[in-house]
Amino acid sequence: MPSWFMPQASTSAVEIDNLILMITVIVGVWFVAAELVFFWLIWKFRARDGVRAQYVAGEAKSEKKWVSYPHYAVLVFDILILIFALRVWNNIKISAPPGEERVRIIAQQWAWTFQHAGPDNILDTADDIRTVEDMYVQVNRTYHFELHSKDVVHSFSVPAFRLKQDAVPGRAINGWFTATQTGTFDVQCAEICGIGHGLMPAHLHVRTAAEHQAWMAEVAGTGAAPAEAADMGTGEVLAHADTARVQMGAMQ
Amino acid sequence: MSAHAIAHEAHGHHEHADPGFFRKYLWSTDHKVIGMQYLFTGMFMAIIGGFTVYVFRMQLAFPGESVPGYGYVNATAYNSLITMHGSIMVFWVAMPVLIASFGNFLIPLMLGCDDMAFPKLNRLSYQIFLLSALVVLSTFFVPGGAFGGAWTSYPPLSASAAYNATPWGAPMWLIAVILEFVAFLLGGINFVTTAMNSRAPGMKMFDVPIVVWMIVLASLVFMGSVGPLVAGAIMLLFDQLIGTGFFNPNTGGDPILWQHLFWFFGHPEVYVVLLPAVGIVAEVMTVFSRKKLFAYRTVVYTALATSVISFFVWAHHQFIAGIDPRMAGIFTVTTLIISVPIAEMMFVYIATMYGGSIRLATPMLWALAFIAEFLIGGVTGIFLGASGADVYFHDTYFVLAHFHYTFFPIAFIGTFAGLTYWFPKMFGRHMNETLGKIHFWGTVVAFNAIFIPLFLAGAGGDHRRIFDYSAFPELASLQPLRQIATIALLVLIAFQPVFLFNFFYSMFRGKRATANPWHANTLEWAAPSPPPHGNFPEMPVVYRGPYEYSVEGREDDYWPQHVPPDDVTVDGPVEAPVAAGGH
Amino acid sequence: MSSSKPIATTRSVMNLPTGRLALWWVIASEIVIFGGLLGSYIMFRLSHDAWAEQAAITSTLAGATNTFILLTSSLSAVLAHQAAERGDGPRAAKMLRLTVLGGLGFLIVKSIEWTGEIQHGYTITSNLFWSFYYTAAGLHGLHVIAGMICMLIVARAAARNQELQRVEIVGLYWHFVDVVWIFLFPLLYIAK
Amino acid sequence: MAEHAHAHAHGAGHGDAFYVRIWAILLVLLFVSVIGPEFGIRVVTLITAFGVAIVKAYMVGRHFMHLGIERKWVVWILAMMMAFVVLMFAGIAPDVQLHNGQNWIKLYEEPAPGSGAHGH
């Protein structure tokens, strides 16, 4: 299960992992049962000399019940899974707890820019903090983020948070998270976005309140001028692509 | 040609009026030849698709190492390779082999007619398909390389060379896909018309073998779902070539529109290839269990229900793509509902074995493996259909392993079941059983060894389409899983020459087959092996359903569809001597 | 070649001639193609109010003329079918050629209209409305051309009283192309 | 029903004059749809444009394409295909047509009136 490999570093992580566990148990039982019946039938009805197969049309109700009862049961379990899946979905994507902090996340080929709202907690003011490839959040605070893309479709994915949302150019997409563990976690791009898709990591630093305040005091105001460091113009993109192509050609 | 000519030609037509190699094999309107053309083209494309996966799996397991037979893999090449692997395997392997090849070969034979309703349209369909295959292959050699925006081809990445850096590859890929769609629309219209109108006398709707039902339903699903994507592909092509802005947000277009148009087709497409495969499995399982199919009508109805519901589920591919989350809720419901008819269908297949006399010949092994493996693909789909869990699994290796557990059973296991089962009919000879079983076990074990580790990697948060994981320290511990998968892939590939050898050797040197070596009921076994041009010495008449095996009170445990009811001693056409003229 | 029809082609289990059955499936698949394109257009049209002003630029007169031409050519297509039913091949051929003439008229009006618009600077890349305008009408125009070619081929055989059942089939296709235009006309020209 | 020889049932009872009459009605409808927008009332325009288009398509389908006397399932097939289009529209419109979704807004702004055609 995910928690074997990944820390559960946000409130949604626990919720999603529980849902996954529940589905695993339900479909696991069904799967094992179906395969057991399957292999038992193969063994039980293997061809033997002098034993003829039976003629079973399967159209009579008394025969069909062997298929239709499991079938109704599948429906019942489907509904069970649905209820839980939709509840989790609702908690994560439809409704959101009130936001305590704001951050804007801007994706582009092939970098992440993070615009933290800064001490006043309002975006697009002079005390905004812009960082590239590093995002800083405070533990146990609910963040509302606004996701932008400058060029193609990207996806903001933080596996440790079980958080994933596509960034679509032309749209500002809202979401939220609440980190519950301190530490540094990977941010990945989860939608293919061109040559540098695999080289588009960022780091999400979750810190205690004291550490976070100290950091803010240190760097406040760097967002007033847009950080251009990460901007790779079209020309550069093509140059990058060209290099890649030359390498590829040389290898063929 | 007229019926008389066909009857006349049935024996020894090779000797006189030989139309020449070109007209017979390349320009033929004979449905069997066209089926073979699709089959061999599909096999060739599968080798290309297999080579691409070999290269990029090697890169994933041993990043930065030179791949034997290819060289170093960089990011551009990696993206091109995964894109080509996906699109070739879906559009140029699964579709032609499962629908076009089996459809062409089986529909006229199983329905008891001499050819497709429109033989020339059929030939045209293959030629357009061949052109599309050539176009997509040629993109490997154009400036900029092959398209690298994944087989889903999301704009704006796919819409502009400034983003994807493949000014030739992207539009050519799209043109190839459009051509392929046109080819399958023409082919599908032909299949549907033939199955509706050209059935043998006496063959009622529920006397049609399941595999024909399934291929026809698949063609219908394709026909109904591909239209919007054809329109979308034209729009995307204009975006690429003349700079319109249908999917460009800066001019008021919308990239999400493409995602919808794509998946409106893309999800039904899964059922387009699934249905023929389950049809093949139905034929094989009944013959090798000597059993009537359990609840024939239920199978047809569940297939119909699946086909219709498949139109209602497409947006589950886009749960986190920025679509309205309330709509995502609706699509969660429809997605889980579609598991109900599919589960029922699997139950019916399992129930078919009850009371049977199961003989584990190679085709049966493949058919059983299909059920066992597809169940894994089915149950893991529940995780992805449940929107809450999909937030985590979306675009991870879990998704990849899930759809390979559906597509591999469909496109390979199902195809192998069909090929080994109908091989005697296709070429008049038997394949070698021992080699067949070696190939079976090697392939199936290796297949599981590839994708079970990838399920775990996906559960660990491993994202897809990333050519080098060194930038993600959290995922470093998953490297052994990637290596196991790659090594298993090498094993899988190593076993395929066994099949190819068996296939081509048996085609010319295999044991000769009688007309009905498996003692099956359906009409294709009433024709000689291999069937001559025109198929049947005399056109068959149908008296009963296709699965009357082990009927009580009969000496034989099978009862072919075309044998008149009063005929108690089954002989005549069924035990007809080997047809003249080998392959 | 036409004498070598397989038995499959001549069977008619569904009590519908095979050609007509196939043509219905062609139309069915065309419905989704045009449906996808026009559906996308309508979505954008409803979300961009400013397109009304673009639609006002298109020439209702040209659109109406073309509607008139297509409706009339549909009439001659159905009259060709009537003639074919009576076994009057030459008259069917004549009517089909008249229909082709209608298609030609349609294309001429279309090209005059497009030339004017392009000269005024409204090209396919001007904005999304014009992109849809040229794409939808262009796709329809391709169908018109395809229909004309098929009709000429059918007319040639029909004039010699051969393959008369094809007259109806090609006519059905033509009516479908007409119906598509019937919807394109208000969508692109009238709704302002 | 199904036993009736259908191939030649078409057009039975209709002479050429019948089709000319249908054509004349279609021309009248065309005239209505062109005149409709002249009133400048939105509802009237919509009805004369799309309402009339549906009537016209119905008449062409029923009389010229003989769907009225064609097998019923043919009509059902065509209707089903249209239903798929409607389904597609219903599934896509909430995302593509709206400017404000449940958790997103579109950033695109219409160019100022009058500058449309020559925009990029």
Side-chain angles (χ1 to χ4, degrees), chain B residues 313-332:
Chain B
V313 300
W314 80 87
H316 64 221
H317 296 267
Q318 302 161 261
F319 279 154
I320 58 138
I323 66 167
D324 191 309
R326 291 163 303 185
M327 291 297 286
I330 296 172
F331 282 103
T332 309

Side-chain angles (χ1 to χ4, degrees), chain B residues 339-383:
Chain B
S339 70
V340 175
I342 285 286
E344 168 120 356
M345 197 188 283
M346 290 299 120
F347 291 156
V348 165
Y349 280 28
I350 293 174
T352 296
M353 293 192 295
Y354 182 87
S357 170
I358 297 168
R359 199 158 65 77
L360 294 179
T362 315
M364 184 62 166
L365 284 175
W366 286 113
L368 294 174
F370 176 89
I371 304 280
E373 306 289 359
F374 185 78
L375 276 175
I376 302 180
V379 298
T380 51
I382 304 277
F383 291 87

